[in-house]
Amino acid sequence: MSTIDIRHAHSLSDDAARNAIAEVAKKLEERFEVSTRWENQTLRFARSGVEGGIELLPGAVRVKAELGFLLSAMKGMVESEIQRVLAEKLG
């Protein structure tokens, strides 16, 4: 297994950040067929080969994910895509 741990600062209000993360969740569901659910301030996501969460922090979000064997080989690409989407949605 391989771990991704990304922290991304933003200047959005808590509500705006939560809405942005909800948009990210919708894209994850559509593109990668992951299931998502909110647990307090963390959006949990999972599917075969990946499991993790996007935690809303004051002024930042933290993405943690555990990649299974097959996705571990594409860790760099997955991290780059996560960073791109966070920058797009959160600034």
Side-chain angles (χ1 to χ4, degrees):
M1 282 226 191
S2 187
T3 301
I4 290 176
D5 191 348
I6 298 170
R7 188 180 178 104
H8 183 88
H10 65 81
S11 60
L12 301 175
S13 69
D14 290 346
D15 287 340
R18 189 175 180 97
N19 289 338
I21 296 305
E23 288 180 31
V24 170
K26 188 173 182 177
K27 283 190 175 190
L28 288 171
E29 291 169 352
E30 291 170 359
R31 288 183 65 191
F32 303 109
E33 299 178 354
V34 300
S35 62
T36 62
R37 71 183 187 292
W38 282 100
E39 284 182 7
N40 300 313
Q41 291 296 94
T42 302
L43 177 77
R44 299 278 178 210
F45 56 87
R47 68 161 277 180
S48 178
V50 65
E51 169 176 321
I54 305 172
E55 182 181 8
L56 294 171
L57 304 167
V61 295
R62 184 175 186 194
V63 179
K64 290 184 75 175
E66 291 290 330
L67 304 177
F69 179 72
L70 293 175
L71 286 178
S72 291
M74 298 186 300
K75 179 182 177 184
M77 184 189 74
V78 172
E79 283 180 319
S80 294
E81 181 66 7
I82 290 169
Q83 290 170 338
R84 184 193 69 75
V85 171
L86 290 175
E88 175 187 313
K89 296 297 181 185
L90 299 171

